[in-house]
Amino acid sequence: MAASPGPAGVGGAGAVQGSGPSGFTFDSGLEIKTRSVEQTLLPLVSQITTLINHKDNTKKSDKTLQAIQRVGQAVNLAVGRFVKVGEAIANENRDLKEEINIACIEAKQAGETIAALTDVSNLNHPESGGQITIFTDKTGVIKAARLLLSSVTKVLLLADRVVIKQIITSRNKVLATMERLEKVNSFQEFVQIFSQFGNEMVEFAHLTGDRQNDLKDEKKKAKMAAARAVLEKCTMMLLTASKTCLRHPNCESAHKNKEGVFDRMKVALDKVIEIVTDCKPKGETDVASISVFTGIKEFKMNIETLRENLYFQSKESLSATLEATLERTEDFTDSAYTSHEHRERILELSAQARRELQQLVSVWIQAQSKKTKSVAEELELSVLKISHSLNELKKELHSAATQRAADLLKYHADHVVLKALKLTGVEGNLEGLAEYACKFSEQKEQLVETCRLLRHVSGTEPLEIACVHAEETFQVTGYQIISAAETLTLHPSSKIAKENLDVFCEAWESQISDMSTLLREINDVFEGRRGEKYGYLSLPKLTKNNANLKSLKADKLDSEEKAKIAKLGLKLGLLTSDANCEIEKWENQDNEIVRHGRNMSSMAYSLYLFTRGEGPLKTSQDLIHQLEVFAEEGLKVASSVQAFSKQLKDDDKLILLLEINKLIPLCHQLQTITKTPLQNQVFLKADKCITKTRSMMAILVQLLSLCFKLLKKLQMENNRWVSVTSKDSVDGKT
């Protein structure tokens, strides 16, 4: 299960090939096709809305009419592709076939209506006077657009049900095979079943990876990443633990080690299903409710409402919220690893917050009976004072937790105890094992408690979930390392027992490394170096070249500048649609030119959404990062086309090289613009960048079309040559 970076190294989406029932190919089927067509459809529908809102007295130039017609045709084509995907899904899922087909018929009708009403090419000619168009029947276009959105939504919701069903089916297959693996008694049988298990895990990884990428809720995404990380690491553990059990069937510690792996994998599989079905088991509590920082945030929101409404909540409710939050600080003050200075300061600030709440309540009661300016000012002062005290408490808690984590990571960086455990195992030293197992257990408890403290100060829900994941991993892996070391000590000459211990030790070291990353991210959030949400996965990290962009975040565009950017984005959206149409023509979707072209189209779509204030790109900094990646992808397209041109004749080769020579300078120019500091000139920089992007997309559309035609021509010539060669060979034999 390949994993890409997720929150604090808990794992990301795996990009693994797999296939589902009836040979349904996941990589090019349900999720990817519906997503790509949805991306084509929705911006075009929004463009139709823009056209509907035009002024009736606007002069209808040929250019305007052509643009309207082009949008209508593009919508209809996109609907056609969408309907094909919908029908394919329906054929694969008989129980939903009727519902999906009805929605597809509605979408098709809406697309045809929009195409007919936007067919305004002959509007300036006298003979077209009686034609019903967008200008004479706005209501018809509005109804068609609404029907289209409604039917597309229906298909997507039904497709979502199909995906969930596929994930559940895949999970059940994995569980069934795991049960067989638990009961296996021979190596030969184990190898056969584990091979099947590996294939099923690859399929499950692919399905859940796609699902993780599609999740909008950052909390669910982090939970999915954590569950998938457990499954990824446990797959290798399951292999070595099972082999050790088979080699030493009477060894109790080996069985305990294997059972621990199976149990953890089952819990992770159940967690994935909880996330995709959005169903929690009874009695499960939300981890966010036990965080000190979450409690402080909630309390501050409550007291700030007093400025607007003195009767919004009761004094008892406010006091209970603060008391519950301060009780959670006992995790810090009761810890044997918290320094005396930190403990005293936390207790002092907690007592201060309680006193200031009493003062606030006293002023609050006065404010309810006396509506004077002085009482209002005193209430405001009380709110500010308790907010300040709680901010100081947050700083102290953050300092206590992060200092403790940093010291612990530094102390255990060389893994002395882990190495000693391995050595005692190889030597068969039972006394040494008891001594180092005790030391290792103490180290494990320190790390578990530190993760608990970090969770309180993490600052965001994804990081909080990463802390919970780290805590559980240290707890479970710690026990498993001791049982694996015990097995090796009892069988010091066993290669498989040694390999098994090595696998668990590597998992431990990996989690130590992840904890270091987690600590860095928590510090970044606390110091305001990153926002609440995790960045778009395709965006590179901030480098020295683009460090000047920090100042761009605060700048705002005026209405005229926004309108111009939106207009540029609209044209970019149309070019994205054109590029997708060209890509659809290619039979080999894995072709290098197609792959890089699809990446460019996807990024251009994100840029289009940015111009509308939507999508994953939230700031000017995100925009520039995405443009840098876009320019690099453009150079890759140029390189792939250049490689393809070497197969062509001189005339055809020249045509391609002329287009490439237009694209490469634009890529370099875009890279230069993104790296040039333009403080207080956000609009100028965005305008230049989007203009260059639009030009690059126009060339990409030309290149995709040209390469497709030349490839077909090349294939025909090769087929003709093969045919002639075969005929000459036959004639020679005669």
Side-chain angles (χ1 to χ4, degrees), residues 494-602:
S494 172
K495 288 183 180 179
I496 184 58
K498 184 178 182 302
E499 182 191 350
N500 187 45
L501 178 58
D502 286 340
V503 166
F504 282 98
C505 289
E506 283 169 16
W508 180 271
E509 290 169 12
S510 171
Q511 191 56 54
I512 290 281
S513 174
D514 287 348
M515 186 175 172
S516 179
T517 305
L518 177 60
L519 177 61
R520 188 165 59 250
E521 291 188 353
I522 288 170
N523 281 326
D524 285 350
V525 169
F526 188 78
E527 292 166 20
R529 288 198 292 265
R530 66 183 295 172
E532 288 287 317
K533 285 193 173 182
Y534 284 90
Y536 195 44
L537 290 177
S538 69
L539 301 180
K541 299 286 184 186
L542 189 66
T543 62
K544 290 180 181 177
N545 290 331
N546 48 40
N548 63 81
L549 290 168
K550 288 180 182 177
S551 62
L552 296 185
K553 235 175 157 183
D555 294 336
K556 292 184 178 178
L557 305 179
D558 62 36
S559 56
E560 190 179 335
E561 289 171 340
K562 282 180 181 175
K564 188 173 180 185
I565 290 289
K567 189 178 178 183
L568 287 170
L570 197 63
K571 293 174 182 175
L572 187 60
L574 283 170
L575 285 167
T576 303
S577 176
D578 291 345
N580 289 340
C581 288
E582 291 299 331
I583 288 166
E584 287 277 333
K585 294 177 185 176
W586 290 67
E587 291 173 5
N588 181 11
Q589 290 289 308
D590 291 325
N591 182 287
E592 286 284 310
I593 299 167
V594 172
R595 195 155 49 82
H596 295 307
R598 191 188 298 113
N599 290 344
M600 284 182 74
S601 180
S602 177

Side-chain angles (χ1 to χ4, degrees), residues 62 65-66 69 118-125 128 131 133:
D62 286 342
L65 296 176
Q66 285 170 11
Q69 185 164 359
T118 53
D119 185 6
V120 292
S121 55
N122 300 318
L123 200 62
N124 281 343
H125 299 286
S128 63
Q131 185 183 351
T133 68

